[in-house]
Amino acid sequence: MEPAPTEQDYGFLGDLQLSTTIDSPHILQIDNRGVRDEHTVMILQLLEGPQDETNLDDWLSGDLHPSPLLETNAHYQPRCRKSGRRGARRRRTSPWDPMFFERPVSREYSTAKGRKNNSRWTSKEVERLARGVSRFGVGQWTLLKQEFFKSSIRTAVNLKDKWRNLLKGYQENSQKSTLLYLEPSLVEKIRNLAAKQPYPYRRHR
DNA sequence: TTAGGGATAGTT
DNA sequence: AACTATCCCTAA
């Protein structure tokens, strides 16, 4: 039985909401829906930096990924890339990347058909989604939202969409899948769940 | 509320 | 231009 993660809020840093989870209290998670000001960036850099001098050089070189502060899929490269893959979205490489703090397009400022946000799923989120599916099964999106994504920007529909998208990676042309950006162990877990509970069901048409 | 079709926008 | 991750719409 998969335990539901319990979030602990650590309040705010500027417009950033800080939190950790019980099962990984050493990992600080940040909801990046805020502005980017100099002080915040400096604090983030200090937080993400090494705690001692042993790997200072590695850190300064930028090779120390994935970040313990905030994981993003952008840190992973496709394992096999034969002829240039297309379409994968890449965003926010690090907290001080200008892209990182870009506000999502809000409905008010965009056209009627504007999108609410467009934020990439982190591998942490995918891992959480997989745990939720193994706990409740496929289709219990509202329950999964309540138990595993309570204070997340992800809606129940987002969870459903993401699961569908992940499983697309196992259909024919899996070369182009977002699964290539994930840890092999996580991909394996998703594969096992997918085998047990096929999705989508193909009810329509 | 969910499944599935479709639109949108970022990447190559 | 081709392609897809993410988001939106809506029947049932």
Side-chain angles (χ1 to χ4, degrees):
Chain A
M1 195 57 116
E2 300 280 359
T6 311
E7 291 191 357
Q8 292 184 326
D9 283 349
Y10 273 68
F12 292 85
L13 181 66
D15 281 349
L16 301 173
Q17 188 182 354
L18 310 180
S19 64
T20 63
T21 56
I22 287 292
D23 45 314
S24 45
H26 55 291
I27 295 179
L28 185 63
Q29 299 185 328
I30 294 183
D31 277 333
N32 59 315
R33 301 267 81 82
V35 294
R36 179 187 192 235
D37 70 79
E38 285 179 24
H39 291 103
T40 303
V41 170
M42 194 167 71
I43 291 168
L44 287 168
Q45 286 183 335
L46 291 173
L47 279 173
E48 184 161 9
Q51 301 306 308
D52 53 45
E53 296 167 3
T54 52
N55 53 5
L56 184 60
D57 287 339
D58 288 338
W59 180 69
L60 289 174
S61 76
D63 287 339
L64 220 56
H65 288 309
S67 157
L69 179 62
L70 181 113
E71 259 188 61
T72 100
N73 297 344
H75 295 306
Y76 296 93
Q77 290 301 313
R79 282 196 296 278
C80 44
R81 174 203 291 227
K82 289 210 169 152
S83 55
R85 66 186 298 286
R86 299 169 169 210
R89 290 185 174 190
R90 184 189 160 283
R91 265 198 172 186
R92 49 177 196 187
T93 52
S94 73
W96 46 91
D97 181 330
M99 285 295 279
F100 187 85
F101 286 96
E102 197 151 291
R103 273 194 184 284
V105 183
S106 76
R107 262 201 187 302
E108 302 91 76
Y109 302 134
S110 56
T111 57
K113 290 274 179 188
R115 301 164 72 81
K116 247 192 294 194
N117 72 68
N118 201 28
S119 69
R120 205 149 153 72
W121 279 68
T122 66
S123 59
K124 270 277 178 282
E125 288 178 303
V126 176
E127 194 182 323
R128 188 177 280 219
L129 178 60
R131 278 201 285 153
V133 169
S134 85
R135 172 90 169 263
F136 302 121
V138 178
Q140 303 299 313
W141 309 116
T142 299
L143 187 57
L144 211 163
K145 162 70 182 173
Q146 286 167 358
E147 300 297 320
F148 282 71
F149 289 81
K150 190 164 287 184
S151 65
S152 164
I153 59 171
R154 308 301 177 188
T155 67
V157 171
N158 291 156
L159 305 182
K160 177 263 300 175
D161 285 336
K162 183 59 181 179
W163 189 250
R164 171 174 60 170
N165 178 244
L166 285 171
L167 268 51
K168 271 186 193 165
Y170 293 116
Q171 294 164 6
E172 304 135 81
N173 307 323
S174 54
Q175 297 293 318
K176 296 170 184 171
S177 168
T178 182
L179 291 171
L180 295 172
Y181 293 90
L182 299 173
E183 302 270 22
S185 62
L186 180 53
V187 175
E188 186 60 26
K189 178 165 188 171
I190 294 169
R191 186 194 301 278
N192 290 335
L193 287 168
K196 270 185 258 177
Q197 313 190 62
Y199 183 91
Y201 308 129
R202 288 268 140 199
R203 288 192 323 191
H204 286 254
R205 301 299 106 129

